[in-house]
Amino acid sequence: MSKAASELVLNADGSIYHCNIKPEHLADTIITVGDPNRVEKVSRHFDTIEHITSKREIVTHTGMLNGKRLTVISTGMGTDNIDIVFSELDALANIDLETGEIKKDFRKLSFVRLGTSGALQEDIPVDSFVIGSHGLGLDGLLHYYVGSEAVMNKEIEDAFIKHVDWSPNKARPYLVGGSETLLNKLASEKTIQGITATACGFYGPQGRFLRLQPNPADINERLTSFNHNGLRISNFEMETSAIYGLAAMMGHEALSVNAIVANRILGEFSTDSYKTVDAMIEYSLERLTK
Ligand code: R1P
Ligand code: URA
């Protein structure tokens, strides 16, 4: 079925509305970062760059590294932006933009998020790298898609809801696993694994108390003490659950690697977070393209 112009929105040059790129500008392996300034920090390692564009907070560079074609794209902050970027990149790969028809041959994409995050365990130090074996969505995005239950893990969700006494006034938490294939590529003795919790904000939703008190005030303690058969919540950030959920529903693969810039239990923040992010970028590019 073809799509209305208001549904599959294109720019005058035929590129997709927010990401502002055409299908030929997208590699099969895509690195997503939150910060638009981080895009160049990734692509500076490329051997060649073939395409650069930007619109709003979405900056895109496509090029080659060690014989592998890569696109690096910034999503900005939050799962609402992930909804836009992932829907548009999947459309570039799997919808004929001229006719609006879904293509017969599925094109699978691999997504690696290189982000920053706060640790929720005392033993996960600032400046370490955490890979999310799962994304725990406290943001609610996936509930807006029919059939999303199929990619969720109800047993762990129910255990989490009970453990933290999750308020029925908030969207039901959802848990989705990351790609095993990418995990095998990216995990090493240099990385720590755990559940990456995705919040719908940086302050109250992550238990930060400036002038407004978070509800519940002890949200972080509740998350930290959750343990399901040895699986614990390692870190807090704002994109991974939606990345894992949408990628799984669309048939793509995704994994999040996060540089730990804060330890929320110890109250510490990295003294050189940019250096840590650069080290994470170098580590991940090496593992991804070797
Ligand atoms: C908050 O400071 C932002 O940093 C983290 C969070 O997920 C949120 O987007 O990730 P990025 O550094 O990739 O943006
Ligand atoms: N990003 C987050 O979302 N939370 C943190 O604590 C650090 C980075």
Side-chain angles (χ1 to χ4, degrees):
M1 208 177 40
S2 65
K3 307 268 180 228
S6 61
E7 199 133 343
L8 176 62
V9 186
L10 303 179
N11 299 309
D13 67 354
S15 61
I16 200 136
Y17 187 42
H18 299 93
C19 293
N20 201 33
I21 55 174
K22 296 181 182 177
E24 60 267 30
H25 302 138
L26 184 68
D28 289 341
T29 302
I30 299 150
I31 294 166
T32 73
V33 299
D35 181 354
N37 291 325
R38 200 177 301 146
V39 171
E40 185 274 326
K41 291 181 177 170
V42 174
S43 70
R44 72 165 64 143
H45 297 283
F46 290 3
D47 298 320
T48 52
I49 298 182
E50 67 189 55
H51 191 259
I52 292 182
T53 193
S54 69
K55 188 170 177 183
R56 298 180 184 242
E57 62 267 62
I58 305 172
V59 175
T60 310
H61 295 181
T62 293
M64 297 290 293
L65 176 61
N66 298 334
K68 194 176 181 78
R69 190 167 182 243
L70 298 170
T71 291
V72 51
I73 187 166
S74 57
T75 61
M77 293 184 272
T79 58
D80 45 356
N81 281 357
I82 295 301
D83 181 63
I84 291 173
V85 171
F86 275 63
S87 299
E88 293 193 0
L89 297 187
D90 178 65
L92 288 172
N94 289 303
I95 294 178
D96 182 325
L97 299 187
E98 279 172 21
T99 64
E101 305 274 344
I102 295 175
K103 291 181 184 167
K104 286 203 178 61
D105 293 327
F106 175 67
R107 181 178 165 203
K108 184 172 178 158
L109 304 173
S110 295
F111 293 95
V112 176
R113 162 170 156 77
L114 299 181
T116 64
S117 186
L120 281 166
Q121 301 292 339
E122 200 170 337
D123 60 314
I124 300 182
V126 290
D127 303 323
S128 61
F129 309 153
V130 168
I131 293 182
S133 59
H134 302 77
L136 174 64
L138 309 178
D139 56 292
L141 178 84
L142 228 59
H143 298 304
Y144 287 87
Y145 289 96
V146 170
S148 55
E149 298 82 8
V151 301
M152 298 176 184
N153 185 318
K154 188 169 182 317
E155 183 194 321
I156 304 179
E157 291 165 4
D158 285 345
F160 173 77
I161 287 164
K162 187 160 179 248
H163 176 82
V164 301
D165 192 19
W166 189 255
S167 165
N169 294 333
K170 296 176 185 164
R172 180 185 158 91
Y174 60 91
L175 188 114
V176 185
S179 156
E180 294 269 340
T181 313
L182 289 171
L183 185 74
N184 288 335
K185 245 185 181 333
L186 284 149
S188 77
E189 74 293 341
K190 290 196 177 146
T191 59
I192 298 163
Q193 288 176 45
I195 299 174
T196 294
T198 297
C200 62
F202 184 81
Y203 290 97
Q206 292 187 34
R208 288 187 167 91
F209 189 172
L210 299 186
R211 284 210 310 131
L212 302 181
Q213 185 174 331
N215 181 19
D218 63 345
I219 177 73
N220 289 3
E221 286 85 340
R222 296 187 198 194
L223 265 65
T224 301
S225 58
F226 177 68
N227 188 319
H228 187 81
N229 303 329
L231 192 58
R232 59 182 192 157
I233 298 172
S234 43
N235 58 312
F236 237 155
E237 46 79 278
M238 295 172 57
E239 291 83 19
T240 292
S241 62
I243 290 175
Y244 284 12
L246 292 178
M249 288 193 76
M250 290 166 173
H252 304 307
E253 58 183 12
L255 196 74
S256 270
V257 185
N258 277 293
I260 297 301
V261 297
N263 183 299
R264 300 301 312 289
I265 310 307
L266 300 173
E268 294 173 355
F269 200 87
S270 170
T271 52
D272 199 346
S273 60
Y274 288 104
K275 189 170 159 212
T276 306
V277 169
D278 284 341
M280 171 187 63
I281 290 169
E282 282 185 39
Y283 169 84
S284 304
L285 286 176
E286 220 264 312
R287 305 278 306 188
L288 206 54
T289 64
K290 77 178 180 189

